[in-house]
Amino acid sequence: MIDVLYFAWVRERIGLPRERVETGAETVADLVAELTAREERYAAAFQDLSALRVAIDQELTDFSAPLAGAREVAFFPPMTGG
Amino acid sequence: MIDVLYFAWVRERIGLPRERVETGAETVADLVAELTAREERYAAAFQDLSALRVAIDQELTDFSAPLAGAREVAFFPPMTGG
Amino acid sequence: MRVQEAAFDPGAELNRFSAAQQNAGAVVSFSGIVRDRPEGGLLHMEIEHYPGMTQSAIAGMVETAVARWSLADALVIHRHGALKRGEVIMMVATAARHRADAFAAAEFLMDYLKSRAPFWKKEVGADGAAWVAARDEDEAALGRW
Amino acid sequence: MRVQEAAFDPGAELNRFSAAQQNAGAVVSFSGIVRDRPEGGLLHMEIEHYPGMTQSAIAGMVETAVARWSLADALVIHRHGALKRGEVIMMVATAARHRADAFAAAEFLMDYLKSRAPFWKKEVGADGAAWVAARDEDEAALGRW
């Protein structure tokens, strides 16, 4: 079980801010593929990975990162702070 | 007649902040030579021109500048504002 | 370093920050203010953030800046929630002995906050709402550090 | 732009400056604070200036900065007279649409104020007084603009 968080338009497209996901995915990319296969709203959120960023346990990483030991994965668009 | 102003340590060495000078000097350098010839305190102030700056009528210039038409000449060390 | 929904007073923060400096002669501040959209009609801006990550991401940037430019001190305040036009979104302040360090560190912090701290802005107008897109120049600005 | 003997409140000035901005999202400020000498023991600092020239020199710098970086606004306040440790000597503030312009213009103004505005600082200690020497780095900094 892993906590999956969504922010900004990723959150809006998927329709929720976070959920617990039962997964055997080995990498972030595998998790994205699993979610995309689930429902159209996930496919809509993940259709262009180059427009997305991912953090594992609150550290920025990339889609090839392994999920082993991760408690929390977050997906969001490029940040626009400041 | 021209107003000659001194600032910072130039003022302190010469011992006054401003004076009116009767001069026929053609350039700033000529004026410096006239003043230097006058008294030791002027010589002390003007001994190293590379350590001095000069303004004519409140605009920075250099020692070769002509004095024709000038109302006010000021001598001072490099600025240290900010 | 603070991430908060409540408004804050940048002038009071600047004065407090400056007064706390014992031997730093140079203080630089940056404030970001909600401005209208180029096409006008902004009603308000909504700022979303990732609470768990925001604190650690900003703390990491501040630590890097303090070490790299020998800062005497650094301050970051960033709001989230709904902000109206003219409200101050965030501020950064840096203090150093010499101004070049204070300026460089403030610019570094702003560049990193802009593209690496987990905040997202949404502009809300009468005609609808849109997420602010990241600018290529902002990502490129990180390259200089 | 103001050159004055009286103390001023940098925080209040920053707030007033920011509040006056209609569409500039980025405000940068610099404040210079009287700090101790490296060897310690500073009693106060004396700042002398050339009244007739100061105003026109600063006005020229501000005009250049506003044009070159499309500033929405710029502010310069510089004190003269006797200042104690911790007192604010001067401040610069710039406002622009984008932060890069506000930062560049503030640094430009600081570099020019430092070496081209007619102010001279004297550090007074119990052991005597000495004029602050211009730093080669400050003169060199002008080369980048």
Side-chain angles (χ1 to χ4, degrees):
Chain A
M1 293 289 277
I2 197 165
D3 283 312
V4 185
L5 282 67
Y6 310 110
F7 292 97
W9 57 255
V10 182
R11 173 179 56 69
E12 291 179 336
R13 285 193 196 172
I14 292 177
L16 41 80
R18 67 155 65 210
E19 59 186 321
R20 283 181 70 75
V21 173
E22 180 76 57
T23 180
E26 290 192 2
T27 66
V28 175
D30 293 343
L31 175 62
V32 167
E34 274 185 22
L35 293 168
T36 297
R38 270 197 195 176
E39 281 182 56
E40 176 51 35
R41 58 197 171 103
Y42 291 97
F46 290 119
Q47 66 188 358
D48 176 11
L49 293 191
S50 74
L52 288 184
R53 301 289 179 266
V54 59
I56 294 181
D57 292 337
Q58 309 181 352
E59 289 275 356
L60 275 179
T61 183
D62 53 66
F63 287 86
S64 63
L67 284 179
R71 297 178 311 276
E72 185 172 300
V73 177
F75 295 102
F76 41 79
M79 290 100 145
T80 54
Chain B
M1 293 287 279
I2 196 165
D3 283 311
V4 184
L5 282 67
Y6 311 110
F7 293 97
W9 57 254
V10 181
R11 173 180 54 71
E12 291 179 336
R13 285 193 196 172
I14 293 177
L16 41 82
R18 67 155 66 210
E19 58 186 323
R20 284 181 68 78
V21 174
E22 179 75 58
T23 179
E26 290 192 2
T27 66
V28 175
D30 293 342
L31 174 62
V32 167
E34 273 185 23
L35 292 168
T36 296
R38 268 199 197 174
E39 280 182 57
E40 177 51 35
R41 58 197 171 104
Y42 291 97
F46 290 119
Q47 66 188 357
D48 177 11
L49 293 190
S50 74
L52 289 184
R53 301 289 179 267
V54 60
I56 295 182
D57 293 336
Q58 309 180 351
E59 290 273 357
L60 276 179
T61 184
D62 54 65
F63 287 85
S64 64
L67 284 180
R71 296 178 312 274
E72 184 172 300
V73 177
F75 296 101
F76 41 78
M79 290 100 144
T80 55
Chain C
M1 189 260 293
R2 283 146 44 199
V3 178
Q4 62 186 44
E5 190 158 1
F8 65 94
D9 180 336
E13 296 290 345
L14 176 66
N15 282 350
R16 187 159 34 233
F17 181 79
S18 295
Q21 303 315 317
Q22 286 305 305
N23 234 342
V27 171
V28 168
S29 83
F30 177 91
S31 332
I33 302 170
V34 179
R35 61 159 187 256
D36 206 350
R37 305 177 298 185
E39 68 275 26
L42 183 79
L43 292 179
H44 70 274
M45 176 173 272
E46 276 170 25
I47 301 178
E48 180 170 336
H49 78 126
Y50 180 177
M53 183 172 166
T54 319
Q55 297 279 342
S56 61
I58 298 177
M61 292 166 201
V62 169
E63 201 176 315
T64 301
V66 166
R68 184 153 164 197
W69 285 283
S70 306
L71 295 186
D73 205 356
L75 171 72
V76 175
I77 304 174
H78 204 302
R79 292 183 64 190
H80 59 91
L83 283 82
K84 288 194 290 287
R85 245 179 92 172
E87 283 198 83
V88 176
I89 303 168
M90 51 79 63
M91 80 177 282
V92 156
T94 54
R97 264 191 94 70
H98 295 297
R99 71 187 186 286
D101 290 325
F103 272 117
E107 287 203 78
F108 166 89
L109 285 171
M110 284 309 305
D111 285 352
Y112 271 84
L113 279 167
K114 202 88 187 170
S115 304
R116 291 291 182 272
F119 292 96
W120 300 275
K121 294 196 185 99
K122 189 183 203 173
E123 291 173 334
V124 182
D127 53 352
W131 291 97
V132 172
R135 301 191 315 150
D136 290 343
E137 305 94 287
D138 286 332
E139 187 64 32
L142 297 179
R144 59 179 165 156
W145 304 112
Chain D
M1 189 258 294
R2 282 146 46 198
V3 177
Q4 60 184 47
E5 189 157 2
F8 65 93
D9 180 335
E13 296 291 345
L14 176 65
N15 282 350
R16 186 157 35 232
F17 181 78
S18 296
Q21 303 315 316
Q22 286 306 305
N23 234 343
V27 171
V28 168
S29 83
F30 177 91
S31 333
I33 303 170
V34 179
R35 61 159 187 255
D36 206 350
R37 305 177 299 185
E39 69 274 26
L42 182 81
L43 292 179
H44 69 274
M45 177 172 272
E46 277 170 26
I47 301 178
E48 180 170 337
H49 77 126
Y50 180 176
M53 183 173 166
T54 319
Q55 298 278 343
S56 61
I58 298 178
M61 292 167 200
V62 169
E63 200 177 316
T64 302
V66 166
R68 184 153 163 197
W69 285 282
S70 307
L71 296 186
D73 205 356
L75 171 72
V76 175
I77 305 174
H78 204 303
R79 293 183 62 190
H80 59 91
L83 282 82
K84 288 195 289 289
R85 245 179 90 172
E87 282 197 83
V88 176
I89 303 168
M90 51 79 62
M91 81 177 281
V92 156
T94 54
R97 262 191 95 71
H98 295 297
R99 71 187 185 287
D101 290 325
F103 271 117
E107 287 203 77
F108 167 89
L109 285 171
M110 283 309 305
D111 285 352
Y112 270 82
L113 278 167
K114 201 86 187 172
S115 304
R116 291 292 181 272
F119 292 96
W120 300 274
K121 294 195 185 101
K122 189 184 203 173
E123 292 174 333
V124 182
D127 54 351
W131 291 96
V132 173
R135 301 191 315 150
D136 290 342
E137 305 95 287
D138 285 332
E139 186 64 31
L142 297 180
R144 60 178 164 155
W145 303 115

